[in-house]
Amino acid sequence: MVSGEVSLARSESLLLHEPGTVRVLMEEARARGWRPDGPSGMEIDGWTLFEAALRRRTRRATASAGAPPAPQE
């Protein structure tokens, strides 16, 4: 593993130093109710965002490659 890489037992991983990874994690957190301008102190376990972030990253990569987007869950 390289610095900033996180993964589950499977082969997929996220590199926390990549802006795209930060974007998908923040998008997923916002989808779950987190607001950057909301009250401070709200905590979300980042591991609960992992699989959803992988799906968002995959959809984004597929869309940027010109393929039709995969259906959302």
Side-chain angles (χ1 to χ4, degrees), residues 8-58:
L8 297 174
R10 298 178 302 178
S11 62
E12 294 103 350
S13 65
L14 294 172
L15 292 173
L16 298 177
H17 299 305
E18 291 182 349
T21 298
V22 174
R23 176 185 294 255
V24 295
L25 288 169
M26 290 185 69
E27 287 174 352
E28 186 58 29
R30 288 190 68 151
R32 295 181 186 204
W34 175 79
R35 296 290 175 255
D37 58 348
S40 63
M42 181 179 181
E43 292 184 23
I44 298 175
D45 180 355
W47 288 109
T48 64
L49 306 174
F50 189 88
E51 289 189 13
L54 284 172
R55 287 191 300 271
R56 283 180 183 271
R57 183 184 70 177
T58 301

